[in-house]
Amino acid sequence: MKKFNFRKVLDGLTASSPGGSSGGGSGAGGGSVHPGGTAGAAGTPRDEIQETLTSDYFQICKTVRHGFPYLPTALAFDPVQKILAIGTRTGAIRILGRPGVDCYCQHESGAAVLQLQFLINEGALVSASADDALHLWNLRQKRPAILHSLKFNRERITYCHLPFQSKWLYVGTERGNTHIVNIESFILSGYVIMWNKAIELSTKTHPGPVVHLSDSPRDEGKLLIGYENGTVVLWDLRSKRADLRAYYDEAIHSVAWHHEGKQFMCSHSDGSLTLWNLKSPNRPFQTTIPHGKIQRDGKKPESCKPILKVEYKTCKNSEPFVIFSGGLSYDKACRRPSLTIMHGKAITVLEMDHPIVDFLTLCETPYPNEFQEPYAVVVLLEKDLIVVDLTQSNFPIFENPYPIDIHESPVTCTEYFADCPPDLIPVLYSVGAKHKKQGYSNKEWPISGGAWNLGAQTYPEIIITGHADGSVKFWDASAITLQMLYKLKTSKVFEKQKLGEGKATAEIVEEDPFAVQMMYWCPESRIFCVAGVSAYVVVYRFSKHEVNTEIASLEVRLQYEVEDIITPEPEIIPPFPDASSQLPSLKSLSGSTNTVACEGTMKDSIPCLSVKTRPVRMPPGYQADLVIQLVWVDGEPPQQITSLAANSAYGLVAFGNCNGLAVVDFMQKTVLLSMGTLDLYGSSDPYQRQPRSPRKSKQFAADNFCMRGLSNFYPDLTKRIRTSYQNHVNGHCTSPTSQSCSSGKRLSSADVSKANRRGPGRPPFRKAQSAACMEISLPVTTEENRENSFSRSRSSSVSSIDRDSKEAITALYFMESFARKNDSAVSPCLWVGTGLGMVLILSLNLPASDDLRQSEPVMVSPSGTVLTLKGAVLTFACLDCMGTLTHPPYEVWRDPHSADDGEKTRKRKLVMHSPSSSQDMGDHQFAVICSEKQAKVFSLPSQTCLYVHNITETSFLLRADVVTLCNSVCLACFCANGHIMTLSLPSLRPLLDINYLPVTDMRIARTFCFTNEGQALYLSSPTEIQRLTYSQEMCDNLQDMLGDLFTPVETPEAQNRGFLKGLFGGSGQAFDREELFGEATAGKASRSLAQHIPGSGGIEGVRGAAGGVIGDLTRARIALDERGQKLGELDERTASMMASAEAFSKHAHEVMLKYKDKKWYQF
């Protein structure tokens, strides 16, 4: 007996029984998974569908971070390994090598990174942080970890220096002292250079913090110490005294040696460079102010801005390079931050787009006493990383292979597609490659260290980012890398805004009117839709051919119609106690949305932006097919779009906002439906005004209402909050837990945006900042703090009618489904979810044959089906009777501008995904619907609620997606309280629930998204994308996919110095640091000065290391280290016991000698 036949009989029974109502199971208990409807209908799917996913398939871990390190502070380069490290203000370190080698690690303290120093070619890195701690990172593992830390208690670290091939690190402090740390044991040496010993005794003032430390290239036994006030001391480490002291009356910022060790250069706070000779330290033998104007009367050139850093690099066959940042003239206030390159008599100023944080010159040799031969300069800017080629006279920059321009314009939304069609990435790359810039250096990218291989994961992945300037970027994200494929500028379909016209236009945002708010992409048909912040939707088709054509546009009126008993006056006149006193403030807002237009005439039927009317040249790639704009209605601006969906097989696009729903035929370029949300309920004729749906169900939904997490955040975040309006700001997102108003009802985003428009002190719109600067605090309970939480306070000017009736469209889904209970076969449907938890199904009546599609009208009509959930609806999906995900139908892509367009090729090829094995299977479906509060699975066509799971009582979901994993399907959810959850389908069993990601700001809430194969992403900072996996399999395979930071490379040999140079140049004796700084000679440092903290890096490194011999060796090495440490401690104890025993013996011997020759009576 076939199971599905038995199932069908039951379905028929439940359809006719009263228990199979649409509300079945809506009263489910907290957190439990239990069936609604009749017991028979609920029980059968468990027997019938074998769910393969269990909790063992799930585990969460971060995989990789892409983008530019946020708020960078420090830079370091290993010239042998050729890897670069960047430290940030948030305590993060990013280590970059060849493309694909990109590692992120974080200091637990979160303290800013002050300085980074590589142990050159050793696979280790020292970081100094703002909490006065030094950390040693092990880079010989794929995920670096801390081996040792040293925390200074009494002094603040200001500068560190580690000489090449030395194990002793010099540490300068704010008090002017210099300490020495053994890198191997991370223990402080007893050797200290105190500031009062370094400077002359006659000096009356403190020299300031140590700003520079470096050993002489000529003699490693001489240490150059630069103090902030302008004092430079060359300290002889052997004799423990100053060899020379140099004084200058301007503060020092940096010092650089000539490779021969006879001269050094200092940069100063007055924009000057001084060159000093060791033979005559009384005064500099050369002083220049490179950007200072030379005075006519022979006076000293005028002072300039400080030169923050200078590097002095020599070449064998040409003049030396002097490279510095800063030092520009004060009178050029508009000058951008600059890097100056002085080579011989030529001075080149490279202007930067952002302030310079640090720079490093890359040289051919790691040895400081050889000709340096510089070949490139790495410049770390506040928001960019550039590398300048020094080998060419015009100093071109290298083309950067890293994806560090994600934030070129602030990111406003993201979408993630794993396992998409394999031909998409090469196709997008081919159209994107045509836009490549010219003028880059022709040399290879110099940061080429590490090793990376593809790993086992081979499916294609694409990430799409939408930006504040209207641009959309497509990225190849396969195998945990990121590479830009293609950039689309959506603003090109509109006329440019002319300055000065702001007050006369119908704009609803002052700045960034083209900001991308939502995106919808069908990878199979290559249809792409964008919803913009100015209430428009653009439909794009993909073509490989350039075309010159006009852009079709439509205008749609979407207005909430109030009941007849309400007069229209309140819609036109703001309900102020004294309207006349408020009007001037409204009129003064540029680009405002006020109800009284600037010229005194009411704005009606005009869109916010102007679409180009002339023919437009469209390059290969995505080409605008249709622009749909919402228009002003009776002085009311269009509300921003909250949901968007399209379907290529049907040729339809649907979008909604808090007023209602619009459905547009993009093939015939006609508006099929434009209707207020309330009118969608229970009406068969979409154009006939109907009474409202029953108040009872409405009231139930309103009481359980909580605003949708993602799509409704944006309108409030686009309002400019000026100081004069601070006390009236309502721009926070709703939490279901908040008691928002005295009547106990919740407000939709539309209500508050309306309140902001009408109410006193309405803040005007502001720049559509990205997720980048949207900050909120976590939910709180006290009344006065509620504005800072995920809750929205009630505005006094919102009427009760607004509260009851405003209902945003929050989710849309085209699908072959059953629109009504008595349907016997699937038909095209549009599922509509609202902010009040209502689900409506619209029937789509499409022409029977493809030939008639262009001419016959498409009919859209409400089916009368209404389902309910708690909270705003987030997502829909359909499963067939076997529990397999059913994809919506699509049209196979064909080039709309192909040259060989004959009649045969014009025919559309549709993929319908309907089950073909049996008619019986074809008419049974599961509908999965997830809201902010709960998930439900309905059986169709009976509309019985089979399963319900109350996901959260105290919080609300920000994102929910039905995804495939291991050839099965599950529901993945991200909650505002930081929990990431997965539920099995169709039975909604909890498989994973981990409190993983606190929603510390709105950026995470707006950009978090799940995709297939257990992957997800969010914007972790304004400039970085963090990817994570919730798949156990991917967590297990992650080590194979990550790049190696350390690869075995032989250290280049030092040049042979020659007999005479060895004889006359530099010190004859070898310098033994061990002898000087070791405990035997220098003694122990004070225990209270610094505390040694062993790191967790060793053990973690073993767990993360590849198996086999390397892992065994690492374990053995750590065991030896630990044994050595214990032996060292034992050694110390033994030594102290021996010392005390020796002292006792000595004392006893002295006593014996004293009384040796005395008689007993002489005692």
Side-chain angles (χ1 to χ4, degrees), residues 546-565:
E546 185 177 308
V547 66
N548 208 343
T549 182
E550 286 189 13
I551 301 167
S553 66
L554 290 173
E555 291 178 359
V556 175
R557 285 171 76 92
L558 260 190
Q559 178 190 19
Y560 164 62
E561 301 276 353
V562 291
E563 290 160 315
D564 295 335
I565 54 165

Side-chain angles (χ1 to χ4, degrees), residues 85-121:
I86 299 171
T88 75
R89 202 180 299 169
T90 57
I93 299 175
R94 282 282 287 285
I95 303 167
L96 302 165
R98 67 176 67 247
V101 177
D102 183 345
C103 179
Y104 164 82
C105 32
Q106 174 76 42
H107 290 93
E108 278 184 23
S109 66
V113 178
L114 295 178
Q115 203 178 344
L116 295 170
Q117 288 264 304
F118 276 104
L119 277 66
I120 294 172
N121 206 23

Side-chain angles (χ1 to χ4, degrees), residues 555-561 628-631 633 653-657 659-665 670-680 685-689 809 830 842 860-862:
E555 291 178 359
V556 175
R557 285 171 76 92
L558 260 190
Q559 178 190 19
Y560 164 62
E561 301 276 353
I628 309 150
Q629 288 185 283
L630 294 180
V631 295
V633 178
V653 60
F655 58 94
N657 62 10
N659 285 336
L661 171 71
V663 181
V664 172
D665 182 340
T670 55
V671 180
L672 302 178
L673 180 87
S674 169
M675 187 179 280
T677 315
L678 295 180
D679 300 326
L680 294 170
D685 175 7
Y687 300 103
Q688 180 185 343
R689 178 98 33 212
I809 306 292
L830 172 60
L842 302 187
V860 182
S861 56

Side-chain angles (χ1 to χ4, degrees), residues 459-573:
Y459 53 83
E461 298 170 71
I462 290 176
I463 291 171
I464 308 178
T465 53
H467 299 265
D469 64 353
S471 60
V472 174
K473 292 179 180 176
F474 290 76
W475 306 84
D476 175 7
S478 309
I480 68 168
T481 60
L482 195 71
Q483 185 184 5
M484 170 105 131
L485 291 172
Y486 173 66
K487 181 177 176 179
L488 170 67
K489 294 180 180 174
T490 64
S491 59
K492 288 200 166 178
V493 301
F494 299 103
E495 298 286 1
K496 282 184 182 173
Q497 260 60 35
K498 289 176 185 168
L499 294 173
E501 285 186 4
K503 291 186 179 177
T505 62
E507 287 175 42
I508 57 171
V509 281
E510 266 184 358
E511 297 173 66
D512 291 332
F514 309 114
V516 177
Q517 198 170 353
M518 305 187 87
M519 300 177 292
Y520 180 90
W521 189 45
C522 174
E524 288 82 10
S525 64
R526 303 186 191 173
I527 289 285
F528 183 60
C529 301
V530 169
V533 75
S534 299
Y536 62 82
V537 171
V538 187
V539 181
Y540 287 91
R541 287 181 184 271
F542 188 84
S543 174
K544 294 179 181 176
H545 303 278
E546 185 177 308
V547 66
N548 208 343
T549 182
E550 286 189 13
I551 301 167
S553 66
L554 290 173
E555 291 178 359
V556 175
R557 285 171 76 92
L558 260 190
Q559 178 190 19
Y560 164 62
E561 301 276 353
V562 291
E563 290 160 315
D564 295 335
I565 54 165
I566 304 296
T567 55
E569 278 77 14
E571 290 292 310
I572 298 164
I573 302 162

